[in-house]
Amino acid sequence: MRTTIIKKTLRVPLSDGAAGDGGTTARQLDAALLKVGFKASRELLEHVSGTADAVEYSHEIVRAVKELVGAQAQHNPYFKDFPRNVPDTVEFWLECIGDVAEFTGNLLDLPKYGRVQHTYDEMLAAHDELIPSLKDRVTVLHLGGTLDDEITRLYLELAASPIPLGEADRALLGELATQRLDLAPGDVPTRENRAILNAARLVAQRPLTGIDTVTDVLRLASEASGGDVTLREPTRFRSFRRAERRALLAALNEVAPSKFGDVHQHREAWKRLGERLHPHEYPFEHAQDVFAVARKEKTVRSFAGQVEVAFAEGDADLALRILAKAPGMLLRQVDRLVRHGASNVEEAVRAAAPDVSGRVLVSVLEHLANREKPDAARVFANRGRKVWIEDDTRPPLDPAAVAAITAVVEDELVRRLPDFSELVVDPEVLDVVVPMSGTATEDGFGVLPRGSKLWFEGDVLRFFVHWRQRAKRTDYDLSAALLDENFEFKGHVSWTWLKRKGAYYSGDVTEAADGATEFIDLHADALHAKYVVPQVNIYSGEGFDDVAESMFGFMSRDLDQMGKPFEPSTVRARSAMRGKGKVALPMMFEREGDSWYGTWLHLYLRGTSWGNRVEQNRDLVKLIASAALHRKYFTVRKLAELFEHKGSTSDAPTIHIGLSQSETGGVTTVAQLGNMLSD
């Protein structure tokens, strides 16, 4: 668990060993961390110096940060000298064919193709040592409390998160909940988190808490069955013990019948759950009614259904009066109400806004900022980050109505902001999107929410994919689509086109029993493209959710730094890849002057069952890239403007917003900003 804490928080729990002399080991630790792009704080080094188990303790710290940036693996490219001596594509294929007596037409059948022909040590010998640069990343590790204290701290932070957690954090919360059953986390605003905590209580036969809708019970049953607490994917419910069945049905029995209309949204899941709970064996009449609604033996019109009827009858004012009873739903329907000519929408929003969560208010602001003119295309991403595109056939909203509603929502957000005497915002976070959902990002290091922009310097941008198959041969292909300033396709780099001017591919690796890595280099001085969109195509084998591990990341360095293909200290970000599609679009890059600009996408295309290639989806990628760059997001820059509207208070504390904590602390990180906008 110590390794998990370090990777998640960049805080190192105290050693529980005896006191001793670890001074030499502390100096060695500092040197080892610098090679991976990290630095120990003064307090951490002092702590290591005074522990008897300093060697084992330091090894654990270094192992954690290596895993964080993806340096735990041996990243061995197919072309040993990469990025030097990358061959012409056809010449390389002919060389591989020349080794066989008869060519079947399939490159994968060739003994040399896709299988690395040199050892990792031979590859290292072909590269000079990395020359350190002041531009290289240095991330500070801080000393934390005891391991028990750090587990508790992380548990409470995850449980109290006002925004939905990502998949990895939900799994971690579930693990921690079983260890902290006796610790009441206080307010748990996110229903998914409540279900995760209640699942641990259910198994331990503890009282369930915070259940007030039928969907709360369905989420709980799904989580307790090892299924999807978000209810995006169907769950195969397990057999519950009698005490568990009684607890679930008792909780369901306490839900107000007026909320039974929510059953329609997940009717099939309710019918499957009923087969496991045997509701008629227990004296809970309301709970029995829930399953009767699922079987259509009883009719209940949902709240959403009443709204739909009003819109269908052309009565937008009636829809508004109904929605006034559900403030969150009203805010989510603002666009529709304005489009259908409802009266007094601004006043209704003003009355509802104080009772609406911060993340809904932010989403409304972001939505309205993009509705004064039609988009070239509407890009949708579900909670699983799978993307689809439609033409934007909606008429633009009236600018006056947009301005009035925007002002109301902004006033409410300003009211919620904490008092401050001075606001300090690190320039690097101004274009970072304020996180309102963990599902718009991925687990990893240096990863930012979808739409966030970051800039960095370097002559060379190098991105990479690493994967390790679990049960069958798996071939992932790293590719890059090259676009001009008008987002027109200018070519690509991949296994079908090994190099272009300023762009080089490290070679196709077609199986990954022990892990495989592919790289693409972009050299700024020769690159003839304005935008570059990396993508990872599943050619064959296991999906992103099925492999033992898969990651995407990028590095930057100057041409004179040399070094091996994977240098941990140059890694700017490393993102896990977990999604249902066959083509991953982690992010896109733009070259402007002496800097690179990256925009996080976190999207997955459906793709085909096998054989995905960059040439097949280039038109879709063009639309996604254009839409991503033209969309207006709710960023830290916008948040800073709201702080200006609030005005400072002389006796309030200074608020400093940055990407990570400083050595002296006191920084509100981007990940914590969601708390700032929630009651």
Side-chain angles (χ1 to χ4, degrees):
M1 183 56 71
R2 179 180 280 114
T3 298
T4 300
I5 296 293
I6 295 171
K7 292 193 294 184
K8 185 65 185 172
T9 68
L10 296 180
R11 290 166 57 89
V12 181
L14 293 167
S15 167
D16 52 8
D21 183 5
T24 300
T25 302
R27 291 189 292 273
Q28 293 170 341
L29 170 64
D30 204 28
L33 287 176
L34 282 174
K35 291 182 179 180
V36 196
F38 289 82
K39 176 182 180 296
S41 69
R42 178 176 55 82
E43 292 81 5
L44 177 55
L45 287 178
E46 289 175 351
H47 178 66
V48 175
S49 296
T51 60
D53 65 342
V55 173
E56 182 180 350
Y57 185 53
S58 297
H59 285 169
E60 191 170 13
I61 295 171
V62 174
R63 183 170 63 252
V65 297
K66 281 187 173 181
E67 292 178 1
L68 192 57
V69 298
Q72 78 280 9
Q74 291 187 343
H75 299 282
N76 194 6
Y78 181 88
F79 297 129
K80 182 174 62 175
D81 297 330
F82 171 82
R84 304 188 308 272
N85 301 323
V86 173
D88 174 79
T89 309
V90 175
E91 289 179 0
F92 170 65
W93 288 355
L94 291 175
E95 178 186 335
C96 293
I97 293 171
D99 290 339
V100 298
E102 182 178 353
F103 180 44
T104 64
N106 187 347
L107 288 173
L108 298 179
D109 291 336
L110 300 175
K112 284 178 60 175
Y113 189 87
R115 300 164 183 84
V116 177
Q117 302 295 302
H118 52 266
T119 67
Y120 182 70
D121 288 336
E122 289 171 340
M123 182 276 295
L124 292 182
H127 293 268
D128 296 326
E129 289 293 321
L130 177 73
I131 301 172
S133 167
L134 293 176
K135 297 177 183 178
D136 292 344
R137 170 191 54 81
V138 178
T139 304
V140 179
L141 290 179
H142 299 277
L143 182 65
T146 66
L147 179 58
D148 192 66
D149 287 344
E150 290 298 321
I151 291 174
T152 298
R153 181 175 182 263
L154 181 56
Y155 167 66
L156 294 177
E157 285 182 359
L158 292 174
S161 172
I163 64 175
L165 301 176
E167 182 178 354
D169 283 344
R170 292 198 302 269
L172 178 56
L173 177 59
E175 179 182 353
L176 297 179
T178 62
Q179 302 177 31
R180 292 294 183 269
L181 280 171
D182 295 324
L183 181 61
D187 183 38
V188 183
T190 306
R191 292 188 181 273
E192 293 169 2
N193 290 358
R194 291 186 214 169
I196 292 170
L197 302 187
N198 273 328
R201 296 187 185 110
L202 180 71
V203 173
Q205 299 186 36
R206 303 290 183 90
L208 307 179
T209 62
I211 294 176
D212 59 9
T213 72
V214 292
T215 308
D216 288 336
V217 178
L218 188 61
R219 291 187 190 278
L220 164 55
S222 296
E223 174 68 18
S225 300
D228 182 7
V229 72
T230 70
L231 304 181
R232 292 193 305 267
E233 301 293 333
T235 294
R236 184 174 182 176
F237 296 106
R238 65 175 173 85
S239 296
F240 295 97
R241 294 175 295 172
R242 185 170 183 83
E244 293 173 333
R245 296 199 300 270
R246 175 175 285 275
L248 288 168
L249 290 168
L252 195 57
N253 200 60
E254 295 300 316
V255 176
S258 61
K259 299 182 178 181
F260 287 4
D262 294 343
V263 170
H264 300 303
Q265 187 177 1
H266 303 286
R267 176 180 286 116
E268 293 304 315
W270 279 110
K271 289 194 289 187
R272 294 195 305 273
L273 181 59
E275 295 170 356
R276 293 295 190 181
L277 296 186
H278 315 300
H280 290 286
E281 296 180 4
Y282 300 87
F284 300 122
E285 293 184 7
H286 285 169
Q288 293 171 10
D289 288 343
V290 169
F291 296 98
V293 171
R295 296 189 299 269
K296 297 186 178 181
E297 295 170 359
K298 289 192 173 184
T299 301
V300 177
R301 175 171 288 176
S302 68
F303 186 86
Q306 298 175 42
V307 175
E308 291 302 321
V309 169
F311 276 120
E313 293 176 349
D315 196 338
D317 288 338
L318 174 59
L320 179 59
R321 290 195 296 273
I322 297 171
L323 287 166
K325 303 173 185 176
M329 187 177 292
L330 187 151
L331 267 293
R332 291 185 179 95
Q333 295 279 350
V334 159
D335 188 306
R336 196 176 183 189
L337 290 166
V338 173
R339 277 188 285 126
H340 285 78
S343 306
N344 303 318
V345 177
E346 177 188 348
E347 290 78 1
V349 170
R350 180 174 286 107
D355 298 319
V356 177
S357 70
R359 65 190 180 93
V360 172
L361 294 176
V362 168
S363 69
V364 170
L365 272 189
E366 186 175 294
H367 176 82
L368 293 177
N370 292 279
R371 283 290 286 118
E372 293 190 17
K373 61 180 181 179
D375 290 329
R378 298 183 69 186
V379 178
F380 298 90
N382 61 20
R383 297 186 71 180
R385 299 182 293 278
K386 186 178 288 187
V387 65
W388 70 98
I389 294 180
E390 294 181 2
D391 293 333
D392 190 0
T393 59
R394 303 166 301 174
L397 295 183
D398 174 34
V402 169
I405 296 171
T406 295
V408 171
V409 176
E410 287 184 349
D411 287 345
E412 175 58 27
L413 288 174
V414 168
R415 183 188 67 80
R416 299 185 186 194
L417 292 175
D419 291 334
F420 68 102
S421 59
E422 181 184 8
L423 180 68
V424 179
V425 181
D426 293 346
E428 62 185 355
V429 303
L430 285 172
D431 293 317
V432 172
V433 174
V434 175
M436 286 293 138
S437 173
T439 60
T441 186
E442 299 264 19
D443 189 39
F445 169 75
V447 183
L448 299 173
R450 180 182 300 126
S452 295
K453 300 182 189 302
L454 71 162
W455 66 269
F456 51 94
E457 296 178 325
D459 300 326
V460 179
L461 168 64
R462 177 173 298 171
F463 42 89
F464 64 92
V465 61
H466 176 80
W467 75 101
R468 179 164 55 87
Q469 64 202 44
R470 188 182 301 276
K472 62 181 179 179
R473 178 174 175 171
T474 298
D475 181 5
Y476 287 4
D477 293 322
L478 180 64
S479 308
L482 308 178
L483 310 176
D484 66 13
E485 62 275 6
N486 297 315
F487 298 96
E488 292 302 320
F489 189 76
K490 301 297 291 184
H492 69 275
V493 183
S494 73
W495 66 272
T496 63
W497 204 295
L498 298 178
K499 62 180 179 180
R500 289 182 181 272
K501 190 173 183 181
Y504 309 91
Y505 175 59
S506 69
D508 189 14
V509 184
T510 59
E511 57 183 321
D514 299 317
T517 306
E518 295 179 4
F519 302 88
I520 287 179
D521 254 23
L522 303 176
H523 292 210
D525 61 343
L527 185 66
H528 288 181
K530 175 67 172 176
Y531 305 106
V532 179
V533 187
Q535 58 183 265
V536 182
N537 293 280
I538 300 179
Y539 190 85
S540 63
E542 299 166 342
F544 297 118
D545 282 344
D546 304 319
V547 289
E549 62 177 333
S550 62
M551 69 180 80
F552 170 89
F554 68 94
M555 300 170 264
S556 68
R557 64 179 75 177
D558 291 331
L559 284 171
D560 59 0
Q561 284 192 265
M562 309 305 289
K564 58 184 180 289
F566 188 95
E567 289 286 359
S569 64
T570 68
V571 173
R572 301 285 174 168
R574 193 275 305 171
S575 170
M577 290 189 298
R578 295 296 182 187
K580 298 297 182 185
K582 297 291 187 179
V583 179
L585 300 176
M587 63 189 308
M588 62 178 293
F589 296 97
E590 173 185 1
R591 183 70 181 182
E592 184 69 39
D594 295 330
S595 299
W596 296 98
Y597 291 82
T599 301
W600 286 96
L601 299 177
H602 303 300
L603 296 173
Y604 293 85
L605 307 181
R606 182 186 301 275
T608 57
S609 58
W610 70 276
N612 293 284
R613 294 183 294 125
V614 62
E615 297 94 321
Q616 297 170 324
N617 51 54
R618 69 184 197 181
D619 291 336
L620 195 58
V621 167
K622 286 163 44 180
L623 288 174
I624 291 173
S626 176
L629 286 188
H630 289 136
R631 181 172 177 80
K632 299 176 182 177
Y633 294 90
F634 187 87
T635 62
V636 174
R637 189 185 304 275
K638 179 63 178 179
L639 181 62
E641 293 175 4
L642 296 184
F643 268 108
E644 290 181 8
H645 290 317
K646 184 179 183 70
S648 60
T649 303
S650 59
D651 57 350
T654 295
I655 294 179
H656 183 179
I657 301 175
L659 279 179
S660 60
Q661 289 290 347
S662 67
E663 288 224 42
T664 57
V667 176
T668 298
T669 65
V670 171
Q672 297 168 333
L673 289 179
N675 300 333
M676 189 176 286
L677 297 173
S678 301
D679 283 337

